[in-house]
Amino acid sequence: MIDKIAGTISEALHRVQDGATVLIGGFGTAGIPSELINGLIEQGARELTVVNNNAGNGDTGLAALLKTGRVRKIICSFPRQADSHVFDALYRSGKIELELVPQGNLAERLRAAGAGVGAFFTPTGYGTDLARHADGSPKETRVIDGKPYVLEYPIHGDLALIKAERGDRWGNLVYRKAARNFGPVMATAAKATVATVHEIAELGTIDPESIVTPGIHVSKIVRIAHVATQAGGFKQAA
């Protein structure tokens, strides 16, 4: 019987290795799997490469992971926000490496990894510093139909951490609104995917046409509760 439900976050994350590449879903604060990030902090893996659209907000979530000093490199599109002081301090002191990737290229490099695409040409970044490798050497370029392109490679992950809304024991996932963002492509690009859900549905009760991430791409799911607010309702971030 296929049952991908993990009883605890620590159970789902106990095999994360030092040096792993971890893909973390989210767009700003929408869809950030905060509970899984906290679990990764407790798990203790070091020398991580983290892939996310941003580089953390405030002192929680991804910023809290960066603050531990266990992230060697971050690959992202928007490393600086008004409250990205944790990343700023680490970067300015040379304690973290940054690979800046335009947002569309980031999404496509992840999608390419999941689709088995070896590399692709994109016009984005041509003629800028983004068309160079970290060592300063130029990336391969090509003119196609009179337009210049840069060669980019997929981003493969050892682990993807994503936030979904509903899932079943087979690992099929449905997302809530803007929380969908990078989760689906990251799930296909990683060797293993762990997702949190607020509801575990009975098999067959999720309309197959509504499933965004099929269970074949998901290793474990963990149910987490909604966070109660002072007004007595529930805090449900997108």
Side-chain angles (χ1 to χ4, degrees), residues 121-182:
F121 282 98
T122 173
T124 305
Y126 180 86
T128 73
D129 288 342
L130 297 178
R132 294 184 175 275
H133 297 288
D135 62 3
S137 61
K139 296 179 180 179
E140 182 179 341
T141 60
R142 184 175 297 183
V143 176
I144 304 173
D145 290 334
K147 188 172 183 177
Y149 291 81
V150 181
L151 184 67
E152 296 286 356
Y153 289 90
I155 298 174
H156 296 272
D158 296 299
L159 173 69
L161 304 180
I162 59 178
K163 176 183 174 68
E165 182 67 16
R166 300 177 68 210
D168 59 30
R169 66 174 174 84
W170 284 354
N172 297 311
L173 301 178
V174 178
Y175 300 82
R176 180 180 185 268
K177 299 182 179 181
R180 178 169 173 168
N181 52 68
F182 281 91

Side-chain angles (χ1 to χ4, degrees), residues 4-130:
K4 298 183 178 182
I5 300 171
T8 63
I9 287 175
S10 60
E11 175 188 336
L13 298 180
H14 76 281
R15 292 185 179 180
V16 184
Q17 300 293 313
D18 290 352
T21 296
V22 184
L23 317 179
I24 300 179
F27 186 100
T29 57
I32 285 286
S34 298
E35 293 83 0
L36 293 177
I37 295 172
N38 291 339
L40 185 60
I41 293 171
E42 294 177 6
Q43 191 268 349
R46 309 182 67 86
E47 292 294 306
L48 300 173
T49 295
V50 167
V51 183
N52 184 259
N53 186 67
N54 302 86
N57 299 82
D59 294 288
T60 61
L62 182 53
L65 176 60
L66 298 183
K67 201 170 185 178
T68 65
R70 301 208 299 264
V71 177
R72 178 186 65 83
K73 176 181 178 180
I74 187 163
I75 302 173
C76 70
S77 295
F78 294 93
R80 298 192 66 194
Q81 294 82 230
D83 58 352
S84 60
H85 52 269
V86 173
F87 167 79
D88 283 358
L90 290 170
Y91 184 73
R92 291 178 187 278
S93 61
K95 295 179 180 179
I96 192 170
E97 180 183 345
L98 168 67
E99 181 178 342
L100 188 64
V101 182
Q103 191 176 77
N105 285 3
L106 181 66
E108 183 61 10
R109 288 177 67 185
L110 291 164
R111 191 201 68 82
V117 175
F120 62 92
F121 282 98
T122 173
T124 305
Y126 180 86
T128 73
D129 288 342
L130 297 178

